[in-house]
């Protein structure tokens, strides 16, 4: 982005205006004065949770105020670098719209735009009210009618999320995994044997295929990626496959504006070219056993024939495998006819471009990297396309090689104390009950890397609540009480309107939050949480590049308001209230099983409990037990001072020969997925085809076990809804939590094609002409799910026939900056989830929101 004098002055004015208006340190934080000898400030380590990278940071405070944030220079993975997002947290913590004290609802009516009539109450009154409701459920034998939802969390999240609910006696506790990119993990597991996201050796990669990946804006290593991307561009060929011209695509060697949802076809065509040209990595995958040399391009590896010829079936007995498995079956089932010409008709990328990209990718071999993002895998049929994208890494042998893809390095954490001794008969009975999210079904595999039906589908809770019988199968009961924290499903879940209706229906709803979110507007009791980065104890485990780290969150400043830590302090206080009412199991577990690893003392109050829980979970990182894995910190105090434990660098080819599957190899034909689907078929007394069909996939027989192209699912017919809708994450979007920051709004145009203080839908100029629109026109965007009102923006960086919008705007609550008129619940722009239908990728349970899930119509309306 070019910054001229006017833009610089504009940014400076923003900072001065923010200080003048609120007395708060702005996004453009004041300069570091810590080098001056008369300064009394200090640096304190903590962790950002603005995205899943969870970068360790250092925070500079002076006179008990936060002045500056930097990357933690003790972190090997990030090298002390961070992206812009953490700086917005300063505005968050000092946000005047924060929830400052417990509140209760006085207006029984619930709905979008309905004033809850919140009035302040004491913590005692709030906790007493909640405890009374919990005990009412217990007295009536209805503990299962308590449901719990969490969104983002720290490493001690299970203290409240699982342990509290298990001991109380409900199986209905749900995390946010199903609205995350679990399909990517599933694809990696099915091919490579690791149910996890990839890490990347960025600075050594020579050729990138970036599947809707925009590393400097949104990924799981954005801090480090942002700091090294200049070097990456200098050393690598970069091909970005994305219907949107992202910041990364704008600087790439080639932008491939693909038709959304057709990634699998393009990946299969690239694989077809690599195989027919003989460019696969023979040392990693294997090779044909005999025959004269006839490769089109050679690496002088051997003198054997290439039998991969377009349209021809290959005899697998003629192929000898090394680290690969089932390549010939993949070819026969899905690739032999997947020519560039075939793919070009499907995905809208020219055949000659496909051939060029595939040839370059194969040429650079094991220093090539196929890097997928949620845009590839968070589709209704996304796993198979994601498998194809990862199979390209297997083809060129870039699994744990210099410049290749990696799993996370080891960095062990502790475990929470065993709770079994503290369970009563009711809790033991509840442990055998099915959760009400309907995950245990033939049409939902919901695999989480350990067992089928184990990935929680929290976004389905709305549908369960809204059903008349309140349950999907075998036994019906209503949810009488719901508690949620650090989540805003009325905004963040596809088909968001479902949660508005569901939360309005629940008899008693408790919301724990820092901000007056959309979901909070439906609460009966609202509890204020401490800010995750500056006011609480917690920890995070994450990885970037070839390193993993465990980093602390600790109080940097004294909490500004009458708030408590959601996962620990509120859990403790509720346990105390339940004990006062005769149910002491949870309190006994917290107060007797949690012992300080240093002193052996058990907690006597909420503050002690919060710190001890973190000490227990991070103990291996600071007591020397992880010394073989990385840093030897020596003490809890040193851990808090340094801020993080660093793993050793992930070794090259560490898992070759034992990639995690039963075969121990990279599975182009996934025996692991085959076994899993056969297990489900046995459970439901049917065949695999019936299982796959029930989950909405097109594949039958052997095709269900290999990477392949599946026709994208799109809601809405083309005649009524002529444009494919696609979304992306705003660069300054802290998972939907930064929209009330003036820095987010003022610098919204850091996203190519976007506009500051606005919400635009980006439309190709040719489509704008067809629609009779000009930039700035107010338009209604309608899908089968709903409608939003935004502004039109003509932008060449959008593929014709596709309209694109950033996610993050459209809050009708969340504060005076996020909303256009907070008092009257008028949103600033539109929420993408109001027009995205709710559907899932059913092998993993991941929510589908990409791949052109819905079509939309666009019409001009009066402003």
């Amino acid at each position: 982005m070019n910054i001229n004098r006017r833009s610089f002055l504009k940014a400076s004015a923003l900072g001065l205006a923010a200080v003048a208006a609120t007395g708060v340190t702005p996004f453009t934080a004041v300069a570091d004065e810590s080098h001056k000898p008369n300064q009394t400030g200090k640096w304190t380590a903590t962790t950002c949770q603005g995205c899943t990278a969870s970068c360790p940071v250092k925070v500079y405070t002076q006179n008990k105020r936060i002045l500056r944030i930097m990357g933690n220079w003790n972190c090997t993975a990030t090298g002390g670098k961070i992206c812009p997002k953490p700086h917005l947290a300063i505005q968050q913590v000092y946000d005047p719209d924060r929830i400052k004290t417990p509140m209760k609802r006085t207006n029984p009516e619930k709905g979008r735009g309905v004033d809850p009539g919140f009035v302040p109450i004491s913590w005692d009154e709030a906790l007493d009210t909640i405890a009374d409701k919990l005990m009412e459920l217990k007295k009536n034998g209805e503990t299962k009618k308590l449901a719990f939802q969490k969104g983002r969390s720290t490493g001690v999240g299970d203290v409240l999320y699982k342990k509290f609910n298990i001991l109380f006696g409900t199986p209905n506790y749900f995390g946010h995994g199903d609205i995350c990119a679990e399909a990517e993990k599933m694809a990696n597991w099915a091919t490579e044997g690791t149910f996890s996201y990839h890490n990347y050796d960025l600075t050594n990669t020579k050729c990138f295929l970036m599947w809707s990946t925009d590393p400097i804006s949104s990924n799981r290593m954005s801090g480090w990626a942002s700091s090294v991307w200049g070097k990456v561009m200098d050393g690598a060929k970069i091909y970005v496959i994305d219907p949107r011209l992202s910041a990364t695509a704008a600087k790439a060697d080639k932008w491939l504006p693909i038709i959304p949802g057709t990634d699998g076809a393009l990946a299969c065509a690239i694989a077809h070219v690599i195989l027919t040209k003989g460019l696969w990595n023979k040392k990693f995958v294997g090779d044909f056993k005999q025959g004269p040399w006839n490769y089109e391009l050679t690496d002088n590896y051997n003198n054997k024939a290439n039998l991969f010829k377009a349209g021809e079936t290959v005899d697998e007995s003629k192929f000898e495998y090394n680290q690969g498995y089932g390549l010939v079956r993949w070819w026969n089932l899905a690739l032999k006819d997947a020519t560039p010409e075939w793919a070009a008709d499907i995905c809208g990328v020219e055949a000659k471009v496909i051939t060029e990209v595939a040839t370059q990718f194969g040429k650079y071999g094991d220093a090539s990297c196929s890097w997928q993002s949620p845009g590839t895998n968070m589709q209704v049929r996304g796993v198979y396309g994601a498998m194809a994208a990862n199979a390209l890494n297997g083809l060129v042998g870039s699994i744990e090689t210099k410049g290749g893809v990696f799993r996370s390095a080891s960095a062990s954490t502790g475990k929470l104390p065993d709770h079994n001794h503290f369970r009563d008969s009711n809790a033991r009975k509840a442990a055998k009950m099915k959760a009400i999210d309907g995950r245990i079904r033939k049409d939902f595999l919901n695999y989480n890397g350990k067992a089928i039906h184990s990935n929680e589908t929290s976004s389905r809770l709305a549908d369960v609540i809204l059903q008349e019988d309140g349950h999907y199968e075998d036994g019906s009961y209503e949810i009488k009480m719901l508690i949620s924290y650090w989540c805003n499903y009325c905004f963040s879940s596809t088909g968001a309107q479902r949660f508005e209706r569901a939360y309005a229906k629940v008899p008693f709803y408790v919301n724990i939050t820092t901000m007056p979110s959309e979901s909070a507007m439906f609460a009966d009791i609202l509890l204020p949480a401490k800010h995750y980065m500056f006011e609480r104890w917690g920890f995070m485990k994450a990885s970037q590049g070839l390193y993993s780290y465990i980093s602390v969150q600790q109080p940097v400043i004294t909490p500004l308001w009458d708030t408590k830590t959601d996962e620990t302090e509120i859990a403790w206080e509720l346990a105390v209230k339940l004990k006062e009412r005769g149910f002491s199991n949870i309190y006994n577990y917290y107060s007797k099983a949690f012992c300080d690893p240093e002193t052996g003392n058990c907690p006597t109050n909420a503050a002690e409990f919060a710190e001890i829980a973190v000490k227990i979970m991070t103990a291996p990182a600071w007591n020397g037990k992880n010394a073989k894995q990385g840093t030897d910190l020596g003490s809890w105090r040193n851990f808090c001072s340094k801020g993080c434990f660093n793993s050793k660098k992930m070794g090259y080819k560490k898992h070759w020969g034992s990639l995690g599957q039963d075969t121990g190899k990279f599975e182009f034909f996934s025996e692991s997925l085959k076994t899993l689907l056969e297990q489900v078929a046995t459970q439901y007394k049917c065949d695999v085809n019936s299982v796959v069909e029930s989950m909405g996939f097109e594949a039958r027989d052997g095709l269900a076990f290999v990477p392949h192209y599946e026709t994208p699912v799109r809601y809405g017919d083309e005649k009524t809804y002529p444009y494919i809708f696609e979304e992306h994450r705003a660069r300054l979007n802290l998972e939907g939590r930064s929209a009330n920051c003036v820095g987010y709004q003022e610098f919204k145009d850091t996203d190519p094609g976007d506009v500051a203080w606005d919400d635009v839908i980006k439309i190709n100029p040719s489509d704008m002409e067809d629609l009779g629109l000009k930039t700035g026109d107010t338009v209604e965007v309608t899908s089968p799910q709903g409608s939003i009102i935004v502004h039109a923006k003509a932008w060449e960086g959008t593929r014709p026939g596709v309209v694109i919008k950033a996610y993050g705007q459209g809050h009708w609550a969340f504060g005076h900056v996020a909303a256009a008129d907070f008092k009257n619940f008028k949103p600033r722009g539109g929420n993408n989830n109001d027009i995205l239908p709710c559907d899932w990728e059913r092998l993993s349970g991941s929510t589908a929101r990409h791949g052109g899930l819905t079509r939309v119509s666009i019409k001009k309306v009066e402003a």
Side-chain angles (χ1 to χ4, degrees), residues 625-642:
K625 290 186 177 180
N626 281 7
K628 291 184 178 180
Q629 295 180 346
T631 314
D632 188 359
L633 291 167
S635 70
W636 166 250
R637 181 177 180 180
N638 202 32
F639 177 53
C640 292
S641 175
K642 297 289 186 181

mmCIF file of all heavy atoms in Angstrom, residues 625-642:
data_model
loop_
_atom_site.group_PDB
_atom_site.id
_atom_site.type_symbol
_atom_site.label_atom_id
_atom_site.label_comp_id
_atom_site.label_asym_id
_atom_site.label_seq_id
_atom_site.Cartn_x
_atom_site.Cartn_y
_atom_site.Cartn_z
ATOM 1 N N LYS A 625 10.558 -30.379 32.906
ATOM 2 C CA LYS A 625 10.141 -31.633 32.282
ATOM 3 C C LYS A 625 10.160 -31.562 30.758
ATOM 4 O O LYS A 625 10.265 -32.580 30.084
ATOM 5 C CB LYS A 625 8.751 -32.027 32.778
ATOM 6 C CG LYS A 625 8.740 -32.454 34.239
ATOM 7 C CD LYS A 625 7.378 -32.978 34.659
ATOM 8 C CE LYS A 625 7.405 -33.462 36.111
ATOM 9 N NZ LYS A 625 6.090 -33.982 36.548
ATOM 10 N N ASN A 626 10.027 -30.349 30.210
ATOM 11 C CA ASN A 626 10.072 -30.183 28.758
ATOM 12 C C ASN A 626 11.460 -29.827 28.243
ATOM 13 O O ASN A 626 11.610 -29.467 27.076
ATOM 14 C CB ASN A 626 9.100 -29.069 28.321
ATOM 15 C CG ASN A 626 7.657 -29.547 28.262
ATOM 16 O OD1 ASN A 626 7.359 -30.658 28.656
ATOM 17 N ND2 ASN A 626 6.774 -28.691 27.779
ATOM 18 N N ALA A 627 12.453 -29.905 29.103
ATOM 19 C CA ALA A 627 13.785 -29.444 28.711
ATOM 20 C C ALA A 627 14.302 -30.165 27.460
ATOM 21 O O ALA A 627 14.995 -29.572 26.638
ATOM 22 C CB ALA A 627 14.758 -29.638 29.871
ATOM 23 N N LYS A 628 13.937 -31.440 27.283
ATOM 24 C CA LYS A 628 14.375 -32.162 26.095
ATOM 25 C C LYS A 628 13.657 -31.678 24.839
ATOM 26 O O LYS A 628 14.142 -31.866 23.725
ATOM 27 C CB LYS A 628 14.145 -33.672 26.283
ATOM 28 C CG LYS A 628 15.062 -34.308 27.322
ATOM 29 C CD LYS A 628 14.841 -35.810 27.390
ATOM 30 C CE LYS A 628 15.783 -36.462 28.403
ATOM 31 N NZ LYS A 628 15.569 -37.924 28.477
ATOM 32 N N GLN A 629 12.498 -31.057 25.039
ATOM 33 C CA GLN A 629 11.746 -30.550 23.900
ATOM 34 C C GLN A 629 12.172 -29.143 23.504
ATOM 35 O O GLN A 629 11.924 -28.702 22.381
ATOM 36 C CB GLN A 629 10.242 -30.539 24.222
ATOM 37 C CG GLN A 629 9.644 -31.919 24.433
ATOM 38 C CD GLN A 629 8.155 -31.842 24.753
ATOM 39 O OE1 GLN A 629 7.618 -30.776 25.063
ATOM 40 N NE2 GLN A 629 7.484 -32.993 24.697
ATOM 41 N N GLY A 630 12.779 -28.411 24.455
ATOM 42 C CA GLY A 630 13.143 -27.034 24.126
ATOM 43 C C GLY A 630 13.701 -26.280 25.317
ATOM 44 O O GLY A 630 14.547 -26.790 26.064
ATOM 45 N N THR A 631 13.189 -25.075 25.562
ATOM 46 C CA THR A 631 13.700 -24.163 26.573
ATOM 47 C C THR A 631 13.654 -24.771 27.976
ATOM 48 O O THR A 631 12.658 -25.366 28.364
ATOM 49 C CB THR A 631 12.876 -22.857 26.586
ATOM 50 O OG1 THR A 631 12.704 -22.407 25.245
ATOM 51 C CG2 THR A 631 13.583 -21.789 27.400
ATOM 52 N N ASP A 632 14.711 -24.570 28.751
ATOM 53 C CA ASP A 632 14.718 -24.934 30.163
ATOM 54 C C ASP A 632 14.559 -23.639 30.960
ATOM 55 O O ASP A 632 15.522 -22.924 31.229
ATOM 56 C CB ASP A 632 16.014 -25.643 30.533
ATOM 57 C CG ASP A 632 15.985 -26.202 31.955
ATOM 58 O OD1 ASP A 632 14.960 -26.019 32.639
ATOM 59 O OD2 ASP A 632 16.976 -26.810 32.374
ATOM 60 N N LEU A 633 13.310 -23.324 31.335
ATOM 61 C CA LEU A 633 13.029 -22.042 31.991
ATOM 62 C C LEU A 633 13.343 -22.063 33.482
ATOM 63 O O LEU A 633 13.676 -21.031 34.068
ATOM 64 C CB LEU A 633 11.564 -21.669 31.771
ATOM 65 C CG LEU A 633 11.206 -21.296 30.323
ATOM 66 C CD1 LEU A 633 9.709 -21.243 30.133
ATOM 67 C CD2 LEU A 633 11.837 -19.965 29.954
ATOM 68 N N GLY A 634 13.163 -23.207 34.116
ATOM 69 C CA GLY A 634 13.617 -23.349 35.497
ATOM 70 C C GLY A 634 12.625 -22.999 36.579
ATOM 71 O O GLY A 634 12.703 -23.534 37.675
ATOM 72 N N SER A 635 11.685 -22.089 36.307
ATOM 73 C CA SER A 635 10.744 -21.705 37.359
ATOM 74 C C SER A 635 9.530 -21.005 36.759
ATOM 75 O O SER A 635 9.576 -20.484 35.637
ATOM 76 C CB SER A 635 11.418 -20.774 38.370
ATOM 77 O OG SER A 635 11.675 -19.506 37.790
ATOM 78 N N TRP A 636 8.451 -20.999 37.532
ATOM 79 C CA TRP A 636 7.240 -20.280 37.141
ATOM 80 C C TRP A 636 7.534 -18.796 36.969
ATOM 81 O O TRP A 636 7.076 -18.168 36.017
ATOM 82 C CB TRP A 636 6.163 -20.506 38.199
ATOM 83 C CG TRP A 636 4.977 -19.590 38.141
ATOM 84 C CD1 TRP A 636 4.649 -18.603 39.020
ATOM 85 C CD2 TRP A 636 3.938 -19.587 37.156
ATOM 86 N NE1 TRP A 636 3.485 -17.976 38.650
ATOM 87 C CE2 TRP A 636 3.019 -18.563 37.500
ATOM 88 C CE3 TRP A 636 3.695 -20.338 36.004
ATOM 89 C CZ2 TRP A 636 1.888 -18.289 36.761
ATOM 90 C CZ3 TRP A 636 2.551 -20.065 35.247
ATOM 91 C CH2 TRP A 636 1.668 -19.044 35.631
ATOM 92 N N ARG A 637 8.316 -18.248 37.872
ATOM 93 C CA ARG A 637 8.644 -16.826 37.801
ATOM 94 C C ARG A 637 9.385 -16.500 36.509
ATOM 95 O O ARG A 637 9.111 -15.478 35.864
ATOM 96 C CB ARG A 637 9.489 -16.435 39.011
ATOM 97 C CG ARG A 637 9.863 -14.959 39.053
ATOM 98 C CD ARG A 637 10.639 -14.640 40.317
ATOM 99 N NE ARG A 637 11.015 -13.231 40.381
ATOM 100 C CZ ARG A 637 11.702 -12.681 41.368
ATOM 101 N NH1 ARG A 637 12.080 -13.426 42.415
ATOM 102 N NH2 ARG A 637 12.013 -11.391 41.346
ATOM 103 N N ASN A 638 10.282 -17.369 36.107
ATOM 104 C CA ASN A 638 11.035 -17.129 34.881
ATOM 105 C C ASN A 638 10.142 -17.279 33.653
ATOM 106 O O ASN A 638 10.297 -16.554 32.659
ATOM 107 C CB ASN A 638 12.219 -18.097 34.792
ATOM 108 C CG ASN A 638 13.321 -17.590 33.882
ATOM 109 O OD1 ASN A 638 13.539 -16.382 33.763
ATOM 110 N ND2 ASN A 638 14.023 -18.504 33.236
ATOM 111 N N PHE A 639 9.196 -18.224 33.729
ATOM 112 C CA PHE A 639 8.232 -18.383 32.644
ATOM 113 C C PHE A 639 7.414 -17.108 32.455
ATOM 114 O O PHE A 639 7.214 -16.629 31.337
ATOM 115 C CB PHE A 639 7.311 -19.565 32.948
ATOM 116 C CG PHE A 639 6.210 -19.796 31.940
ATOM 117 C CD1 PHE A 639 6.475 -19.919 30.593
ATOM 118 C CD2 PHE A 639 4.888 -19.904 32.355
ATOM 119 C CE1 PHE A 639 5.457 -20.141 29.665
ATOM 120 C CE2 PHE A 639 3.864 -20.116 31.451
ATOM 121 C CZ PHE A 639 4.150 -20.244 30.103
ATOM 122 N N CYS A 640 6.948 -16.541 33.561
ATOM 123 C CA CYS A 640 6.163 -15.300 33.478
ATOM 124 C C CYS A 640 7.010 -14.138 32.972
ATOM 125 O O CYS A 640 6.525 -13.255 32.253
ATOM 126 C CB CYS A 640 5.567 -14.960 34.841
ATOM 127 S SG CYS A 640 4.309 -16.121 35.388
ATOM 128 N N SER A 641 8.284 -14.123 33.344
ATOM 129 C CA SER A 641 9.176 -13.047 32.920
ATOM 130 C C SER A 641 9.510 -13.163 31.432
ATOM 131 O O SER A 641 9.400 -12.188 30.675
ATOM 132 C CB SER A 641 10.460 -13.070 33.740
ATOM 133 O OG SER A 641 11.376 -12.109 33.269
ATOM 134 N N LYS A 642 9.913 -14.355 31.005
ATOM 135 C CA LYS A 642 10.258 -14.569 29.598
ATOM 136 C C LYS A 642 9.009 -14.583 28.722
ATOM 137 O O LYS A 642 9.032 -14.146 27.576
ATOM 138 C CB LYS A 642 11.007 -15.894 29.436
ATOM 139 C CG LYS A 642 12.343 -15.964 30.154
ATOM 140 C CD LYS A 642 13.387 -15.095 29.483
ATOM 141 C CE LYS A 642 14.749 -15.290 30.130
ATOM 142 N NZ LYS A 642 15.784 -14.426 29.514
#
